[in-house]
Amino acid sequence: MKLDWIVFPPGSFAFLTLLAFLISLFVQLVNKKTVDYQKLRRLNLIQKEYYELQREFLRTGDKKIKKKMEKLKPDVDRARAESFSMTMKPMLYTTLPLLLIWQLLNPLYRDIPIVRLPLEFPFLSLFRRDSPLPTNVLGYISYYMLVSYLFSFILQKVLGTTLEVER
C-alpha cells in the first residue's frame, strides 16, 4: 500500500490535522475522566489567595499578613502537592500512546515540509536538529504542535476542563 497521499501535502496536511484533533480529544477526555476539576479549582484558589497575601506582605511588610501566611502555609503546601498529583495522573494514560504514535510517524514525515509560512521565523531553527527545512516551513512536529494547541484550547472550553480560578 502506498502512503504518498498521507505523507505529502495536501494529504499530510489533512491527516496531521485529523490526528491532532483526535489526540487532543483523547487527552481532554482522559483529563475529564481522571481529574476532579471542581476540587482542582478550589485547590488553585487556596494557592492564589496565599500568593496574593505574599505579594501584599512583600509590598507592605505587615506582621498580621505574615502571621496569616504562616497559618495558611500547611494548607497551601498540601493544595500544591495534591493539585500537582491530580494534574499528573492523566499523563499515566496518555504518555505511552503518544510516544508510540510519534515513533511510528517519525520515519514517514522526517524532513517533509507540511506548511510553508509567508514569513521567515529564525527561532524555528532552535526546534530543529539538523533539519534541511528552511525557517519559513513547518515540519510535521511543528505543524502538529501548532494545530494541537489550537484544538486543545477549543476542546478545553467545550469539555469544561479549563483551570480558570473563579472567585
Side-chain angles (χ1 to χ4, degrees):
M1 179 171 116
K2 281 193 132 192
L3 295 177
D4 287 352
W5 67 274
I6 287 178
V7 175
F8 298 103
S12 59
F13 178 79
F15 176 72
L16 288 171
T17 302
L18 178 64
L19 184 65
F21 174 75
L22 294 174
I23 289 173
S24 296
L25 181 63
F26 169 70
V27 169
Q28 291 306 315
L29 289 173
V30 167
N31 285 344
K32 188 158 180 80
K33 291 291 182 189
T34 58
V35 175
D36 180 355
Y37 280 93
Q38 293 298 337
K39 184 175 184 179
L40 190 58
R41 286 182 188 106
R42 286 192 306 271
L43 294 171
N44 285 347
L45 189 59
I46 291 169
Q47 294 176 68
K48 182 180 177 188
E49 184 180 321
Y50 179 79
Y51 295 130
E52 285 173 359
L53 281 174
Q54 193 175 42
R55 276 193 297 272
E56 184 69 21
F57 173 71
L58 290 173
R59 194 173 55 78
T60 64
D62 189 354
K63 302 283 186 201
K64 290 179 185 176
I65 294 174
K66 186 175 182 179
K67 275 193 182 245
K68 190 172 184 179
M69 283 174 48
E70 289 170 356
K71 195 173 170 182
L72 282 175
K73 183 76 169 132
D75 292 336
V76 170
D77 290 341
R78 191 171 29 273
R80 187 180 304 133
E82 196 172 344
S83 65
F84 177 76
S85 166
M86 201 180 295
T87 55
M88 294 306 283
K89 192 186 305 182
M91 287 181 61
L92 294 173
Y93 303 106
T94 59
T95 303
L96 190 60
L98 290 176
L99 288 174
L100 182 65
I101 288 169
W102 291 114
Q103 286 302 314
L104 293 172
L105 291 179
N106 198 34
L108 287 176
Y109 288 107
R110 185 162 196 87
D111 300 331
I112 294 178
I114 304 299
V115 174
R116 184 171 306 277
L117 302 171
L119 301 170
E120 296 255 340
F121 293 101
F123 65 88
L124 284 179
S125 62
L126 296 172
F127 301 105
R128 300 175 181 183
R129 288 189 216 147
D130 305 324
S131 175
L133 298 177
T135 55
N136 70 331
V137 173
L138 295 180
Y140 83 101
I141 291 177
S142 304
Y143 176 74
Y144 167 80
M145 289 172 62
L146 178 71
V147 174
S148 178
Y149 179 76
L150 176 68
F151 283 137
S152 292
F153 178 76
I154 293 168
L155 289 169
Q156 282 177 349
K157 295 290 184 185
V158 170
L159 296 173
T161 56
T162 57
L163 292 177
E164 295 168 348
V165 178
E166 299 153 1
R167 279 203 172 244

